[in-house]
Amino acid sequence: QHAEPCVTIELARVHEAAEQLGVSRKEREKRLRLRFAEVAVHPTTGELWLLSGVDRLLLVVGRDGAVRGMHFFSKKQQPQPEALAFLPDGRLAIASEGPKGPAVLGLYAPAR
């Protein structure tokens, strides 16, 4: 017996959201592979925060699958982000592997 998915993320909806946010078509085709390495649930909104390391992308989706936000990190900010967690004070922690340099732990202001 198969479990039912709790949310379905449609690639077309992610591309539409990226286009609305001004991400070029070339960049969308290159960087929206959506190979998620990590997921965290926002402690107050219940939204899913998904991290695609290969894309250096943080994607926020609602339980209805609608894209609520997205952010691409530069290689300098997060060389290869692989883990995220919300800290008790509301900050977001993102850990990145350092394939050709030191690993990075980024701490970001409380998520909204």
Side-chain angles (χ1 to χ4, degrees), residues 29-107:
E29 290 173 359
K30 178 182 175 186
R31 293 191 69 185
L32 286 175
R33 293 172 279 179
L34 304 184
R35 295 184 183 137
F36 299 115
E38 183 75 278
V39 62
V41 177
H42 190 282
T44 57
T45 67
E47 294 167 327
L48 302 174
W49 289 52
L50 302 125
L51 192 60
S52 179
V54 68
D55 302 319
R56 292 188 315 279
L57 168 69
L58 177 63
L59 183 68
V60 181
V61 298
R63 294 297 178 132
D64 60 356
V67 176
R68 304 273 197 261
M70 96 177 34
H71 177 76
F72 287 102
F73 294 99
S74 69
K75 275 189 178 184
K76 185 176 180 179
Q77 290 173 313
Q78 293 287 340
Q80 189 175 334
E82 296 290 343
L84 78 154
F86 289 99
L87 302 178
D89 66 1
R91 290 181 297 163
L92 178 65
I94 298 179
S96 182
E97 294 180 2
K100 294 182 182 176
V104 174
L105 176 62
L107 297 176

